[in-house]
Amino acid sequence: MSHSLTSSLLTPTKLIPLKSLPKPYLHFFQPQRGPILAVQWKPKSKSKSKSKSKQQNVLLAVADGAPDLSPVVLESSLEVDRASLSGLKENEVGSIPRTKFVCTIGLSTSGSDELEALAVGGMNVARLNMCHNTREWHKEVIERVRRLNEEKGFAVAVMMDTQGSEIHMGDLNGVASAKAEDGDIWTFTIRSFDAALPDRTISVSYDGFAEDVEVGDELLVDGGMVRFEVVEKIGPDVKCLCTDPGLLLPRANLALWRHGRLVLQRNNMLPTITSKDWLDIDFAMEEGVDFIALSFVRSADSINHLKSYIAARSPKSDIAVIAKIESVDSLKNLDEIIHVSDGAMVARGDMGSQIPLEQVPFVQQKVVQLCRRFNKPVIVASQLLESMIEHPIPTRAEVADVSEAVRQQADALMLSGESAMGIYPEKALAVLRSVSLRIERQCREERLHEALQIPSISSSLSDEIKEEICFSAAKMANKLQADALFVYTTNGYMASLLSRCRPDCRIFAFTATASVRKRLNLQWGLIPFRLKFSEDMHDNLSRTFSLLKLRGMIKSGDRIVAVSDMLQSFQVLTIPCTC
Ligand SMILES: Nc1ncnc2c1ncn2[C@@H]1O[C@H](COP(=O)(O)OP(=O)(O)OP(=O)(O)O)[C@@H](O)[C@H]1O
Ligand SMILES: CC(=O)C(=O)O
Ligand SMILES: [K+]
Ligand SMILES: [Mg+2]
């Protein structure tokens, strides 16, 4: 038996029988003729640098016993998310949703196996909510996600979500929840306790609380999941009568209402970014997260402040700042906030305790539309499948809510409690996925894109040209029923402009930087790859054609519309038989 291990690219490592090869790599060998006995797979280096260890990860397939014994070296320079690969293999384009999925990681999903199950199920971004748990806990989760990406070929991005300065409850003596019954009297207090809290006592994070409240005020816990009426103030203690019973969860947010309106004085005095948040932001920069979601943004100033801090402290970092739209003040400044942010989140949980609930759907629609106009990714978050925290199937109303967000063509949907503390995190993600696929197909059948009227965003002539190129390329791809759009992009901008047009076909986005590739994970319809490409478009195209063909992602005769941000042009091509 002869193994042809000849490439000088490879340092000899160990031979691994094909059956023990990690699953994502198996399909690479399917197009080869002859039996493949083994592959040479260099194990990951222990290096912390993701890109370095990935580049060293060379795969070599050895065909033996067949007339053609030449080894097939599979270039490691093309990286794609394993979930995208398996999606394409299963059922071609139909099985990868255009809508992206963010999953909040909590105790239900923080283990390596659970994280992997979510990644297999289509999680694009893992969200860490700094309201809960310690930095050490979050650091371990980030390391597990990083290992998953390096060892199993995923490209899950990490989003850190700040606690913000809104008032919230403390922990509940270490228990997971406490039931507040109708007619109960609970004490909300700013006192601190060394020992356990007395029965029916809740600590409150904000020192001015006892002073700010008035007898008769309404206290909404966790966006209104539980309600109390303030009945008495005794120094630091505020006695409250439970009027809407429910489960109290540790560190839940509190909102005060008076005469049917949110009490705002307090908000205006508190900073959007607290001292804890700054420490968490430093931590996020050290850990190299991909996104920072800023809670309770009120104006563009706090976004600008955070962005300039990141630029000064970590000039090479590529962290995107997402504005969470969840405070009543943010609604007055929506345009300027979205304009300066790298994306937005419709955080319906807290938003629903700051404005009347019936206005939340309107805010969602408005934010989604504005983000599309400004070319920023938008996430619709909170309670999408709330009942799945406890039940294996969603309510019909929840399915309708998810459908509406997909129909609005939001970039991403987010799971909160469903994945953080629920019993069925994978099932919840599977529901998001199947509903998204169904509604997206319907939108294509209804030719939703034909109604597309997106106003120009360009701020310079060069941007205007890019916008026009992408708009025309997407329009042509729809008209010619192209099989795919290809975009070669340095900083991701051209890819996002194509995504903004929400074309019918999938968009393969090639970029040289790992961080850009992970950022593109949050944008509708993009399948991001990491690939070193040159200024020679012909060379890029022929390389990507053969690499993607080898992986079964495209086939001879497919029609492609290719866009490049270097040439500021686009081309229409048919995949030749000979690449
Ligand atoms: N890291 C964690 N550890 C323990 N529990 C968590 C964690 N993250 C989330 N949870 C639980 O999941 C529930 C919902 O999660 P999530 O953090 O999305 O809440 P949220 O109230 O929507 O977010 P925010 O606090 O930003 O408004 C929380 O109430 C909490 O009980
Ligand atoms: C996600 C979040 O912060 C909210 O819905 O309030
Ligand atoms: K938060
Ligand atoms: Mg919130």
Side-chain angles (χ1 to χ4, degrees):
M1 187 166 81
S2 66
H3 291 292
S4 315
L5 301 176
T6 51
S7 171
S8 60
L9 270 175
L10 302 168
T11 30
T13 53
K14 61 179 181 192
L15 278 175
I16 303 172
L18 200 58
K19 64 177 174 2
S20 58
L21 187 71
K23 268 203 197 115
Y25 298 121
L26 271 176
H27 72 277
F28 284 138
F29 305 101
Q30 287 172 3
Q32 300 312 312
R33 277 174 296 147
I36 296 164
L37 296 183
V39 293
Q40 188 178 35
W41 181 48
K42 186 170 179 191
K44 296 289 178 298
S45 81
K46 293 264 182 303
S47 150
K48 280 205 157 180
S49 151
K50 275 172 278 180
S51 52
K52 199 170 156 221
S53 68
K54 287 248 176 177
Q55 273 161 26
Q56 289 167 349
N57 181 24
V58 177
L59 283 161
L60 178 73
V62 186
D64 203 347
D68 178 1
L69 287 179
S70 61
V72 183
V73 177
L74 293 153
E75 283 184 44
S76 61
S77 55
L78 184 82
E79 290 171 16
V80 63
D81 182 6
R82 174 182 155 188
S84 304
L85 274 177
S86 53
L88 277 163
K89 290 302 289 181
E90 272 166 33
N91 182 20
E92 287 299 309
V93 67
S95 61
I96 304 179
R98 308 305 208 256
T99 312
K100 303 300 178 89
F101 306 127
V102 181
C103 301
T104 304
I105 305 303
L107 301 178
S108 300
T109 40
S110 55
S112 301
D113 291 347
E114 289 79 15
L115 287 168
E116 183 171 349
L118 288 180
V120 170
M123 165 173 69
N124 302 101
V125 179
R127 166 182 177 250
L128 295 170
N129 186 352
M130 302 312 279
C131 290
H132 311 288
N133 265 314
T134 59
R135 259 172 232 129
E136 288 67 38
W137 186 90
H138 290 291
K139 187 179 165 74
E140 278 176 28
V141 175
I142 295 173
E143 274 164 15
R144 280 179 211 134
V145 173
R146 185 168 294 147
R147 233 177 294 137
L148 190 64
N149 288 344
E150 286 182 5
E151 291 174 7
K152 305 273 170 91
F154 292 101
V156 175
V158 175
M159 172 181 292
M160 188 212 71
D161 191 321
T162 61
Q163 175 172 298
S165 60
E166 293 300 286
I167 29 170
H168 53 84
M169 310 180 348
D171 286 322
L172 298 166
N173 280 339
V175 298
S177 64
K179 182 104 178 74
E181 307 277 3
D182 203 7
D184 277 357
I185 299 283
W186 284 69
T187 304
F188 289 75
T189 181
I190 56 171
R191 277 186 289 158
S192 55
F193 294 89
D194 292 333
L197 293 165
D199 198 29
R200 289 189 196 166
T201 304
I202 301 276
S203 61
V204 177
S205 64
Y206 164 57
D207 284 345
F209 177 73
E211 217 175 308
D212 279 5
V213 294
E214 286 178 12
V215 171
D217 284 355
E218 217 185 348
L219 185 63
L220 272 65
V221 181
D222 206 1
M225 298 307 279
V226 189
R227 272 169 209 259
F228 292 89
E229 187 190 320
V230 175
V231 287
E232 194 181 3
K233 284 170 48 163
I234 315 168
D237 298 340
V238 178
K239 301 270 178 203
C240 300
L241 171 77
C242 180
T243 51
D244 272 345
L247 272 190
L248 299 168
L249 297 172
R251 315 192 69 74
N253 272 337
L254 302 174
L256 266 186
W257 282 59
R258 190 171 299 151
H259 310 307
R261 295 181 81 101
L262 185 74
V263 179
L264 275 176
Q265 295 97 306
R266 172 179 48 83
N267 298 37
N268 299 334
M269 283 153 45
L270 294 173
T272 301
I273 309 178
T274 64
S275 50
K276 172 186 167 14
D277 292 341
W278 285 117
L279 292 175
D280 288 338
I281 287 161
D282 286 342
F283 162 78
M285 285 194 290
E286 269 163 41
E287 294 301 315
V289 307
D290 303 285
F291 301 95
I292 293 180
L294 197 57
S295 295
F296 296 101
V297 169
R298 281 182 250 148
S299 68
D301 290 349
S302 48
I303 298 284
N304 285 330
H305 191 179
L306 175 55
K307 290 190 83 161
S308 53
Y309 181 74
I310 295 172
R313 289 293 287 265
S314 182
K316 290 210 181 91
S317 87
D318 201 8
I319 302 177
V321 175
I322 305 293
K324 288 178 68 185
I325 307 302
E326 56 183 339
S327 78
V328 74
D329 294 307
S330 67
L331 300 180
K332 296 176 209 138
N333 307 315
L334 262 187
D335 279 37
E336 57 170 63
I337 292 172
I338 292 170
H339 185 63
V340 300
S341 306
D342 301 310
M345 183 195 292
V346 191
R348 305 184 305 180
D350 284 303
M351 178 55 79
S353 62
Q354 300 226 340
I355 59 172
L357 279 181
E358 59 276 18
Q359 286 176 24
V360 176
F362 168 75
V363 168
Q364 172 179 324
Q365 190 179 13
K366 188 162 176 204
V367 176
V368 170
Q369 281 170 355
L370 265 180
C371 284
R372 184 84 171 276
R373 196 173 111 204
F374 288 122
N375 192 31
K376 310 286 169 138
V378 61
I379 306 162
V380 173
S382 295
Q383 298 185 339
L384 283 163
L385 296 170
E386 188 79 356
S387 75
M388 289 193 80
I389 292 176
E390 289 178 334
H391 302 285
I393 56 160
T395 65
R396 280 54 176 161
E398 286 166 343
V399 172
D401 180 41
V402 173
S403 302
E404 177 57 17
V406 176
R407 178 165 270 284
Q408 288 173 356
Q409 298 185 307
D411 288 83
L413 307 181
M414 188 171 107
L415 295 178
S416 302
E418 303 92 329
S419 56
M421 60 167 187
I423 314 172
Y424 304 103
E426 291 162 48
K427 285 202 160 93
L429 185 55
V431 170
L432 289 189
R433 191 182 145 95
S434 55
V435 175
S436 298
L437 284 168
R438 181 66 193 85
I439 302 298
E440 289 164 6
R441 198 175 78 213
Q442 196 172 326
C443 291
R444 287 194 294 275
E445 284 165 8
E446 287 172 14
R447 303 190 68 78
L448 207 65
H449 60 258
E450 281 176 358
L452 186 68
Q453 288 287 331
I454 33 179
S456 170
I457 37 161
S458 56
S459 52
S460 69
L461 183 62
S462 149
D463 284 356
E464 197 179 348
I465 294 170
K466 287 190 170 98
E467 244 181 282
E468 285 304 323
I469 288 171
C470 290
F471 190 70
S472 307
K475 203 166 141 195
M476 186 174 277
N478 288 339
K479 199 147 193 182
L480 299 177
Q481 296 183 358
D483 296 284
L485 274 152
F486 280 24
V487 54
Y488 301 86
T489 174
T490 312
N491 57 14
Y493 187 56
M494 287 290 257
S496 69
L497 285 174
L498 275 180
S499 159
R500 178 178 183 242
C501 297
R502 306 299 197 245
D504 282 349
C505 66
R506 62 204 140 142
I507 309 166
F508 291 135
F510 304 97
T511 179
T513 347
S515 56
V516 173
R517 173 183 167 221
K518 280 207 270 155
R519 270 174 72 161
L520 295 181
N521 250 351
L522 191 60
Q523 303 201 7
W524 191 96
L526 296 182
I527 304 175
F529 295 79
R530 193 157 82 89
L531 172 80
K532 289 188 194 70
F533 55 88
S534 67
E535 290 203 5
D536 180 345
M537 190 67 169
H538 182 72
D539 177 54
N540 293 335
L541 285 168
S542 59
R543 275 175 63 221
T544 35
F545 283 175
S546 50
L547 286 165
L548 292 189
K549 235 172 128 179
L550 194 64
R551 288 159 174 78
M553 295 178 147
I554 53 167
K555 54 186 187 314
S556 303
D558 277 359
R559 185 175 280 164
I560 304 295
V561 179
V563 182
S564 157
D565 66 4
M566 288 158 307
L567 298 179
Q568 304 217 343
S569 70
F570 71 91
Q571 299 178 29
V572 183
L573 303 115
T574 303
I575 307 282
C577 302
T578 52
C579 64

